[in-house]
């Protein structure tokens, strides 16, 4: 048996395709006098699977001579083994075919051992990432932008953890500023204790809308709000107590919504939690480095020479702004968590704000600023509830659940078999919303489409969930147990080989998602896997097949179910077993 050589950067313990890549890397290294590591990093998958399974473009090796002739001469020198069975040259590409029966045997055994851990690795073990995401504003609707930040931020946390990172998930609430002075005055005039306790976020929003209308006709209201917020900043106990009540009730309500979305935060922070000391220290340091100047009574940092306009740090009345609190917050976070990376999952409208923040931290001399990253995203267009325009996340989730319930009831026989139809409708509804959101690149704007979202065909959340439920149904109804020693060599049909090949790619997809931090990489993979499963199921039945063939196919479908389930969990979704 050929021994498997080690190549730095590969991980054949978690990614079984690396066994074959490592062997190819060592063979080419001998012929090219390059290191196996250099070769490994240049390997790719041929666009046409007929050409082979692993390829390398000879010009990328930067060696003298005609690339096509070199490829041909290396084919003649290549000695096949039980892992890599042949080599061919097509133009300047050198292609290798691997043993698919051997891959299937190694892979299915590995998935049987790894189960829910399949696809994960320890490549970033010992590193810590802080992810700031969701971050709604108390007293304002949890709108589409916050939904995007929530979904993307949670996905990022899952991907980082799947690659060995320790993550700290932080919800940095918009819970400070003049608007809370406005809210306090509004509550005094329009508030109801009963409504506040019943649904704090909705009621505070209603109050906020009413008091903002008053501002348009009565300028005194704005002045009172400013004065109230100044009292809050100076620590007035009565003002702080009311604000604290609004904040705590809002967080309690948010937690219910997040639980429904399968999301937990390690830290609920917010602008209010940034200490005055941090901000004063930051302002003092900026002053010491001659970075601030006074402008009409306000303190600013002029960033025009970096094409980043002017950042106002302190207003004329002495109150702070977002950027001041963000500077203080970043310094506090680094001191507390000593993170290796900090991600701000914030809409692209805040691009300038984040660039200003990072530039100010850099000018202050903090060398860890290069660990701070802005993960931006585009707008959701046309996202309103079907019954109105105010976009509260709870309303969207309730309506998606209602729609799915209606769809499910159309198949009475299946509906009767579902133990908890309410929960299933809720999960399918969330899958529909989240997959629609994550199907394209983050930065793209997309139009919220109620009709397309709920289709059980095409690239939708319900389609992926249906593929998973179908695989569970095979296992439930076939009358066989999973046999890890099944005769894998019996899986010789093209749809079986294509399905095993698709499953084997999952660890690569998880690793590449770490570099792009694009949810669409996992969505695209889950879609392709679902389609490949669907094709296999048309001809490769478990029920009715001879026992040995049935056992081999069942193990293959079970491994497909584990892989598809793991990809759904990575996206933040609960895989359904019946629907």
């Amino acid at each position: 048996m050929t021994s498997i050589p080690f190549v730095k950067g590969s991980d054949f313990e978690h990614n079984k395709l690396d066994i074959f890549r490592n062997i190819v890397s060592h063979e080419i290294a001998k012929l090219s006098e390059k290191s196996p590591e250099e070769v490994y990093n240049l390997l790719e998958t041929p666009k046409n699977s007929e050409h082979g399974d692993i390829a390398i473009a000879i010009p990328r090796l930067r060696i003298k001579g005609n690339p096509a002739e070199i490829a041909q001469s290396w084919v003649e020198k290549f000695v096949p083994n039980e892992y890599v069975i042949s080599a061919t040259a097509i133009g300047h590409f050198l292609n290798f075919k691997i043993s698919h029966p051997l891959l299937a045997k190694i892979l299915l055994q590995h998935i049987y051992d790894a189960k829910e851990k399949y696809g994960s690795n320890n490549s970033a073990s010992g590193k810590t990432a802080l992810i700031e995401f969701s971050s709604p504003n108390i007293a304002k609707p949890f709108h589409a932008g916050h939904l995007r930040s929530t979904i993307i931020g949670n996905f990022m946390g899952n991907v980082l953890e799947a690659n060995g990172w320790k993550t700290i998930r932080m919800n940095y609430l918009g819970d400070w500023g003049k608007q809370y002075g406005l809210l306090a005055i509004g509550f005094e005039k329009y508030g109801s204790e009963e409504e506040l306790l019943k649904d704090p976020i909705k009621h505070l929003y209603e109050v906020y809308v009413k008091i903002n209308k008053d501002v348009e006709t009565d300028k005194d209201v704005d002045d009172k709000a400013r004065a109230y917020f100044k009292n809050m900043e100076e620590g007035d106990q009565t003002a702080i107590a009311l604000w604290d009540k609004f904040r705590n009730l809002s967080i309690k309500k948010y937690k219910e919504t997040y639980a429904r979305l399968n999301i937990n935060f390690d830290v609920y922070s917010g602008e209010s939690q940034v200490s005055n000391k941090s901000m004063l220290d930051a302002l003092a340091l900026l002053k010491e480095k001659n970075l601030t100047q006074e402008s009409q009574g306000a303190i600013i940092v002029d960033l025009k020479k970096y094409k980043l306009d002017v950042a106002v740090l302190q207003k004329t009345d002495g109150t702070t702004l977002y950027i001041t609190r963000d500077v203080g917050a970043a310094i506090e976070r680094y001191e507390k968590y000593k993170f290796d990376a900090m991600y701000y999952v914030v809409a692209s409208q805040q691009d300038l704000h984040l660039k200003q923040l990072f530039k100010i931290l850099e000018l202050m001399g903090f060398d860890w600023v290069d660990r701070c990253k802005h993960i931006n995203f585009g707008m959701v267009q046309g996202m309103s509830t079907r019954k109105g325009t105010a976009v509260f996340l709870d309303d969207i989730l309730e309506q998606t659940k209602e729609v799915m319930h209606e769809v499910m009831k159309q198949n009475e026989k299946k509906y009767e078999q579902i133990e908890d139809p309410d929960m299933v409708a809720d999960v399918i509804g969330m899958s529909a919303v989240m997959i629609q959101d994550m199907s394209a690149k983050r930065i793209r704007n997309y139009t919220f489409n109620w009709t397309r979202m709920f289709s059980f065909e095409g690239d939708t959340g319900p389609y992926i969930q249906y593929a998973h439920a179908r695989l569970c149904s095979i296992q439930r109804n076939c009358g066989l147990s999973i046999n890890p020693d099944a005769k894998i060599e019996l899986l010789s049909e093209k749809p079986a080989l294509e399905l095993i090949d698709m499953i084997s790619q999952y660890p690569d997809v998880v690793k590449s998602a770490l570099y792009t931090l694009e949810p669409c990489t996992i969505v695209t993979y889950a879609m392709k896997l679902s389609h490949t499963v669907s094709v296999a199921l048309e001809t490769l039945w478990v029920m009715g097949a001879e026992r040995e063939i049935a056992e081999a196919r069942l193990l293959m479908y079970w491994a497909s179910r584990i892989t598809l389930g793991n990809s759904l969990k990575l996206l933040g979704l609960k895989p359904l077993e019946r629907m």
Side-chain angles (χ1 to χ4, degrees), residues 18-70:
D18 271 351
I19 292 173
F20 302 86
R21 291 183 190 127
N22 286 11
I23 290 168
V24 167
S25 297
H26 268 261
E27 289 302 315
I28 296 174
K30 283 181 212 164
L31 296 163
S32 65
E33 295 182 358
K34 297 284 179 182
S35 72
E37 285 73 24
E38 284 176 277
V39 176
Y40 175 85
N41 289 320
L42 298 174
L43 296 179
E44 53 190 278
T45 304
K47 287 186 173 64
N48 184 345
S49 59
E50 301 287 315
H51 294 168
D53 305 292
I54 299 169
I56 189 162
I58 300 297
R60 295 188 70 194
L61 286 164
R62 298 183 184 278
I63 50 178
K64 287 178 182 173
N66 180 307
E69 286 173 10
I70 292 168

Side-chain angles (χ1 to χ4, degrees), residues 346-457:
V346 184
S348 54
Q349 296 102 300
Q350 298 295 324
D351 281 358
L352 176 63
H353 175 81
L354 271 299
K355 280 176 184 168
Q356 287 181 336
L357 172 63
F358 298 162
K359 180 50 77 177
I360 289 168
L361 290 168
E362 182 195 317
L363 294 171
M364 289 171 84
F366 294 113
D367 59 0
W368 45 262
V369 68
D370 60 354
R371 303 180 191 189
C372 302
K373 306 276 185 279
H374 177 200
I375 305 299
N376 58 3
F377 53 84
M379 298 279 289
V380 185
Q381 292 154 338
M383 185 177 186
S384 63
T385 61
R386 294 195 305 164
K387 297 168 184 171
T389 50
V391 188
F392 287 94
L393 179 62
D394 277 344
D395 292 342
I396 295 288
L397 294 182
E398 274 308 310
Q399 284 177 48
T400 53
K401 183 167 86 171
E402 278 173 33
V403 174
M404 284 325 305
H405 230 135
E406 288 160 21
V407 174
M408 284 160 62
K409 281 177 184 169
Q410 288 166 16
N411 188 329
E412 282 179 43
K413 195 179 172 188
K414 274 190 180 176
Y415 187 77
E416 283 165 13
Q417 293 172 352
I418 297 169
E419 277 177 38
D420 188 347
D422 204 53
M423 179 276 289
V424 171
D426 202 28
V427 172
I428 304 173
M430 282 186 286
S431 303
V433 172
M434 287 164 73
I435 294 295
Q436 179 170 247
D437 191 285
M438 296 192 275
S439 290
K441 289 206 166 173
R442 282 186 275 107
I443 200 62
R444 285 192 196 157
N445 299 336
Y446 79 92
T447 303
F448 194 77
N449 185 330
W450 282 95
T451 313
R452 196 187 137 273
M453 193 168 70
F454 292 112
S455 170
F456 278 72
E457 292 167 10

